[in-house]
Amino acid sequence: GDVIYRAGDKFKDIHILRVGLCKLYGYCAEGREDLIAMQFKGDWLGFDGLANGHHRCDAIAADVSELMTVSYEALLRAGARNPALLSQMHAALSRQSMRERDAVMSMHALPADGRVAAFLYRWADELEQCGLRSDQITLPTTRAEIGGHVGLRLESVSRAMSHLEREQLIRFGPRNRRDIEIPDLLALRDYVKRLAEGVR
């Protein structure tokens, strides 16, 4: 829940996420807050403020997290002495950009069940890549936030999750429906893949 930076704050620092998870929120023309991205271990935060000197979104810690923060000016000075550092930064930004673009392009071509399944798979897969458990996860977002992220209404997200439970691709925790068990991550991935192939 801690704020790393807010939309409108002056851009001065870059943050590297060493542990945990951060959510980025943007604001649409109507002023509604939407979840636009989730940042994971190894991701670099703050470059949204580079274009005009002010951040364009809110960055909020969604879990117990650890950040390494460095001023952008110091980073540029260090990069001038060590070009490998700048190469590492550009590679990280490229990976994040491609990941987010691929997620948006693939997700919005899917039906509602597929969009929610794809969201859950990406989240669990990222946890696995970070060396964390992917079979039992706690959603870091509300269903409304998921809906805003994948372009669905809250009711559609709830129906999709219930359908995934009936298909035995997920199970809800006994006390909290944000606690989700994924018995077979590959089966969830294949479900998304089948739906995507059916759309083409």
Side-chain angles (χ1 to χ4, degrees):
D2 286 348
V3 175
I4 301 164
Y5 54 81
R6 290 280 191 194
D9 286 352
K10 184 178 180 180
F11 167 70
K12 60 182 188 299
D13 295 327
I14 296 298
H15 314 274
I16 302 172
L17 188 57
R18 298 184 63 184
V19 177
L21 168 74
C22 291
K23 296 189 286 188
L24 300 184
Y25 293 94
Y27 295 87
C28 64
E30 299 82 24
R32 187 183 68 248
E33 182 182 69
D34 283 331
L35 176 68
I36 57 175
M38 295 198 302
Q39 306 298 135
F40 298 89
K41 177 182 176 181
D43 283 346
W44 296 50
L45 290 77
F47 283 102
D48 59 290
L50 185 58
N52 65 6
H54 291 84
H55 290 291
R56 300 179 59 191
C57 61
D58 295 347
I60 310 292
D63 200 350
V64 177
S65 303
E66 180 181 325
L67 293 166
M68 181 170 64
T69 299
V70 61
S71 80
Y72 183 64
E73 294 299 327
L75 184 62
L76 290 181
R77 289 195 299 271
R81 297 190 302 270
N82 182 3
L85 175 62
L86 289 183
S87 295
Q88 186 179 15
M89 179 183 72
H90 293 147
L93 290 174
S94 178
R95 284 194 303 271
Q96 288 171 228
S97 177
M98 292 295 293
R99 184 182 73 200
E100 291 163 11
R101 189 201 68 172
D102 290 347
V104 169
M105 290 181 65
S106 62
M107 200 175 291
H108 286 272
L110 292 167
D113 293 352
R115 295 185 194 188
V116 174
F119 176 88
L120 294 175
Y121 171 75
R122 282 197 307 115
W123 168 228
D125 185 58
E126 289 286 353
L127 292 176
E128 188 170 75
Q129 297 299 319
C130 293
L132 302 172
R133 290 190 67 168
S134 60
D135 59 332
Q136 293 183 343
I137 65 176
T138 298
L139 287 177
T141 58
T142 65
R143 279 158 174 70
E145 288 175 326
I146 295 173
H149 188 55
V150 303
L152 295 172
R153 294 181 180 275
L154 170 63
E155 298 79 8
S156 298
V157 174
S158 296
R159 283 196 298 270
M161 285 193 166
S162 296
H163 179 76
L164 294 175
E165 182 186 34
R166 289 194 298 272
E167 293 290 319
Q168 299 183 348
L169 292 167
I170 65 171
R171 287 193 284 265
F172 294 112
R175 292 183 298 275
N176 188 342
R177 289 177 71 85
R178 289 178 74 165
D179 293 333
I180 292 179
E181 181 180 347
I182 302 177
D184 188 340
L185 189 59
L186 293 181
L188 187 63
R189 181 199 66 184
D190 291 344
Y191 176 80
V192 175
K193 186 177 179 181
R194 287 196 303 273
L195 289 178
E197 290 172 347
V199 169
R200 293 175 191 160

